[in-house]
Amino acid sequence: MHRLTSLCCVTAIVASSSAFAADTFNVVTTVKPLNLIVSELTQGAATSEFVIPAGTSPHDYALRPSDVRKLKQADLVVWIGPELESFLVKTMDSKPENIALSQQHDISFRYYAEDEQEHKGHEAEVDHESEHEGHNHNHNGIDPHLWLGPEQAIQAANVITKALIKYDPLHKNTYTANLSTFTTDVQQAVTQLNKQLKPLNNKGYYVFHDGYGYFEQQFKLDNLGHFTVEPDRRPGAKTLLSIRQALTNNEAYCVFSEPQFSPAVVKSVTKGTNVKIGTLDPMATDIVEGKGGYVRFLNELGQRFSKCLN
């Protein structure tokens, strides 16, 4: 009799745990850096996961059937928008519980068109050179890499928190407290990074693709240009020649490659020069998720800039 009672209790506990797990509010994001933000906002209240494998570029990703199931079963989907995840548009048309951050008016976006004017049409030249069959990218409008800007990350966190409270009001207090902690932590990190990066403001460098504008604007870094506007496009010959000339003239301190793409083109352009080669990872591949994950991401970027430009 006692065994039967114990067995019933155990069964009830397991069933209760399973029900709780099934009922837990689940947020699905697209890229890992975005999930670094969301996972901090949902701590203690909900779960979050991302669909695009860490280290994979979202520019040319193709959804797998398992990804589609995960997105459709999510209680809330957070993505950047069609400017980055164009492959997601049709899926999100049938998923009302989603936030496209690029459509939010409370986020201060960087616009490529403005940057093009500052660089006197340089990007337009690169666009023309690097067009290839099947890809007619339009490199203007909103820069979708908003997670690289601490200011934009805080603004996005506010937008996401409102949505979390809307769809999961029972955990309003937890979401609100998490947002407050996240905001304070990021602001403190920005203060430290300002001190760290200010001495590097006049040291020029080149990046592999035009994806770091938010971080560069925040910390007033001296980006001289990029190899390609988007990582799935080959750099144009004129662009490579121009960068090579600048490196030969000792105009740059560093050239940054990215771990997601072959550094062969970077090595060939820098060969025979004194310029240093660094690596920037906009996709936060090796950053540990959880509390403080986004700040770890910012600090890692700061360290990479410091190491190569000093």
Side-chain angles (χ1 to χ4, degrees):
M1 185 68 180
H2 288 298
R3 284 184 181 178
L4 183 59
T5 303
S6 300
L7 182 60
C8 290
C9 290
V10 170
T11 304
I13 291 170
V14 171
S16 176
S17 299
S18 299
F20 177 77
D23 290 342
T24 302
F25 193 84
N26 183 48
V27 185
V28 172
T29 64
T30 46
V31 292
K32 182 180 176 180
L34 193 52
N35 198 53
L36 289 178
I37 299 170
V38 173
S39 65
E40 295 204 49
L41 300 176
T42 57
Q43 289 232 348
T47 59
S48 71
E49 56 186 326
F50 56 96
V51 294
I52 301 177
T56 302
S57 170
H59 291 276
D60 55 357
Y61 186 70
L63 282 174
R64 300 168 298 182
S66 59
D67 296 331
V68 175
R69 283 195 300 273
K70 194 178 290 185
L71 290 162
K72 288 186 175 180
Q73 291 170 1
D75 295 301
L76 176 66
V77 175
V78 181
W79 57 308
I80 299 297
E83 295 83 357
L84 186 74
E85 310 103 331
S86 57
F87 59 84
L88 208 55
V89 174
K90 287 185 179 179
T91 305
M92 290 300 98
D93 282 344
S94 60
K95 179 73 178 179
E97 303 85 8
N98 83 86
I99 311 172
L101 294 175
S102 67
Q103 310 300 311
Q104 307 302 313
H105 299 297
D106 296 329
I107 298 176
S108 305
F109 296 106
R110 169 185 180 251
Y111 288 85
Y112 281 126
E114 294 174 4
D115 197 53
E116 281 173 8
Q117 290 174 5
E118 290 174 12
H119 287 80
K120 298 179 181 179
H122 172 67
E123 288 181 359
E125 176 189 311
V126 176
D127 255 1
H128 175 72
E129 291 173 31
S130 56
E131 278 183 356
H132 55 273
E133 189 175 350
H135 291 269
N136 285 317
H137 299 278
N138 191 14
H139 196 65
N140 55 35
I142 288 174
D143 176 352
H145 306 86
L146 61 92
W147 66 84
L148 284 149
E151 177 187 349
Q152 288 74 20
I154 290 173
Q155 292 168 341
N158 276 274
V159 169
I160 295 165
T161 299
K162 288 178 183 177
L164 290 170
I165 292 170
K166 175 184 175 181
Y167 291 109
D168 187 26
L170 289 177
H171 293 104
K172 176 181 178 180
N173 292 341
T174 302
Y175 293 135
T176 302
N178 288 347
L179 173 63
S180 178
T181 300
F182 177 80
T183 302
T184 300
D185 290 349
V186 174
Q187 288 172 340
Q188 289 176 349
V190 168
T191 299
Q192 292 301 315
L193 283 167
N194 273 326
K195 294 176 183 176
Q196 178 183 337
L197 298 175
K198 189 175 181 180
L200 311 177
N201 289 166
N202 62 343
K203 295 189 174 183
Y205 59 89
Y206 286 91
V207 294
F208 183 71
H209 95 284
D210 188 18
Y212 305 90
Y214 288 104
F215 191 88
E216 292 162 343
Q217 285 183 354
Q218 177 84 53
F219 299 107
K220 299 179 174 61
L221 297 172
D222 188 16
N223 180 350
L224 299 177
H226 45 268
F227 283 72
T228 177
V229 292
E230 291 181 359
D232 62 337
R233 304 171 70 177
R234 291 181 183 177
K238 288 183 180 178
T239 300
L240 295 179
L241 189 63
S242 174
I243 294 174
R244 173 71 184 180
Q245 188 64 49
L247 300 183
T248 303
N249 294 338
N250 297 315
E251 295 173 17
Y253 284 80
C254 181
V255 172
F256 289 103
S257 62
E258 295 179 15
Q260 292 84 14
F261 307 98
S262 171
V265 66
V266 172
K267 289 181 178 178
S268 66
V269 170
T270 58
K271 188 176 181 180
T273 71
N274 296 320
V275 71
K276 293 164 74 175
I277 299 177
T279 304
L280 296 175
D281 182 8
M283 303 312 295
T285 307
D286 297 325
I287 302 299
V288 178
E289 293 178 86
K291 184 169 175 55
Y294 181 71
V295 166
R296 284 193 289 275
F297 173 56
L298 291 179
N299 287 335
E300 172 71 13
L301 282 174
Q303 289 294 335
R304 293 298 178 98
F305 276 106
S306 295
K307 184 177 179 180
C308 204
L309 294 175
N310 269 321

